[in-house]
Each structure stands twice: as structure tokens, then as C-alpha cells.
Amino acid sequence: MAIIALSVACQTQSKKDSNSTATDEKMVVDQLLAKAETLVDKEITVTGHVTHTCKHSGKRCFIVGKDADLSIRVEAGGDIERFDRELIGNTISVKGILKERRLTEEYISQWEEEVKQKEITEDGSAESCATELSNISNMRKWMKDNNKNYYSVYFINALSYEVVE
């Protein structure tokens, strides 16, 4: 019961404070990612086009906004048992809590070493390795440009969703 009261108190405060983002604001993926840093651990509602659902467990899906290069992972939670494959190609509105995972420079360096070792074995994954190395390079560039010692990966712990027309 205390958690519910705390949640209501936080929502009421955010509506009164003109400098904060209202948690009931509906956004598309592009808008969410543009201000994600300020919305971590807050309840959000985002609309996006489903590009992928995890084949075996159905516990994850990925949605994009207007810019198809910007996607966010959505984790099944709340009353959601799974994201069915039939969702691919549909637009959904997801209500959930925005979360952040920070990839440290140390983690990224270890990942890069693993990719380079995999590349050396020439097991037919050269194309995959090139993509991963490009991603690592882009992460480092972002970290330098933003003067950060980590790279943020945002995802949503979904509470509910609905297909929108």
C-alpha cells in the first residue's frame, strides 16, 4: 500500500512541477529516446511500430518510431505473458517503466576484444564482427561527443500494451 501511495505522490508532484515531464505524456520512440535520460525509472507511454518479437520466449519485442534507425527494446511484464509474432508490422502503444543499462568503457573494451578474437577464428562471422566493431566505434564516438564514461542502453519494462490503428 505504501508503494501505491508513493507512486501517486510522485505523479502528482510531476504534474505540478512545470520543469518535469508528465509521466502520462504519450510519445513516439524518437521523442522518447531524445529525452530518455530524464525519464529513467518513470512510467511512460510510447507508440511504435513492431519490427521484431523474440521467437522462442516472446518476452521481448522491438519498436521503432518515425526514424527506423531508432529502436527500443520492450520487455514483457505486468499482465503481459508474451509478445506474439503476429504483432510484427503492427503499431502498438506501450505503457511501462523506462530503464537504463550503462555500458562502461571497461565492458566495451572487453566486448571489443571478444569480437576481435572471434574475427581471428574466421568462423564465417566476419560480417557480424564488422557490424559489432562498427557499433563499438559508434558507442565510443557518442561517449566522447557527450563527455560520458559510459554508453546508455534504454529499454522499457512493459506493464501493458495495445495495438493501435
Side-chain angles (χ1 to χ4, degrees):
M1 196 63 162
I3 293 173
I4 293 171
L6 179 60
S7 175
V8 171
C10 291
Q11 288 175 355
T12 303
Q13 179 64 28
S14 69
K15 289 179 183 175
K16 290 179 183 176
D17 183 357
S18 63
N19 292 331
S20 67
T21 303
T23 56
D24 59 355
E25 177 185 359
K26 294 181 181 176
M27 300 170 272
V28 294
V29 174
D30 315 59
Q31 293 168 319
L32 172 64
L33 292 175
K35 54 185 167 185
E37 190 173 351
T38 65
L39 298 173
V40 173
D41 292 327
K42 293 184 181 175
E43 187 174 291
I44 52 96
T45 301
V46 64
T47 301
H49 187 74
V50 180
T51 59
H52 175 81
T53 63
C54 289
K55 186 175 182 177
H56 298 290
S57 71
K59 295 292 185 187
R60 292 182 178 153
C61 77
F62 292 83
I63 59 175
V64 297
K66 294 174 185 171
D67 181 346
D69 291 335
L70 296 177
S71 69
I72 191 161
R73 184 178 82 228
V74 181
E75 300 278 341
D79 293 332
I80 305 168
E81 288 185 32
R82 62 180 292 118
F83 295 105
D84 294 324
R85 304 273 303 155
E86 292 78 30
L87 283 176
I88 298 172
N90 288 294
T91 299
I92 63 173
S93 180
V94 178
K95 183 178 182 179
I97 308 297
L98 185 68
K99 294 296 194 179
E100 174 188 34
R101 178 171 179 228
R102 291 184 176 183
L103 306 182
T104 63
E105 175 60 40
E106 179 183 3
Y107 175 88
I108 293 170
S109 292
Q110 289 173 353
W111 178 23
E112 183 177 37
E113 276 307 308
E114 289 172 15
V115 171
K116 287 179 179 176
Q117 288 303 314
K118 185 168 64 172
E119 196 173 41
I120 291 170
T121 63
E122 296 184 28
D123 62 359
S125 60
E127 187 176 315
S128 170
C129 291
T131 300
E132 286 184 90
L133 290 173
S134 175
N135 288 342
I136 290 168
S137 175
N138 290 338
M139 288 177 188
R140 286 205 167 110
K141 181 181 181 328
W142 181 90
M143 290 166 56
K144 182 178 179 185
D145 292 349
N146 291 278
N147 197 27
K148 304 274 186 181
N149 64 353
Y150 60 87
Y151 182 82
S152 294
V153 176
Y154 297 100
F155 62 97
I156 301 167
N157 278 340
L159 302 170
S160 64
Y161 78 91
E162 63 183 13
V163 176
V164 295
E165 300 289 323

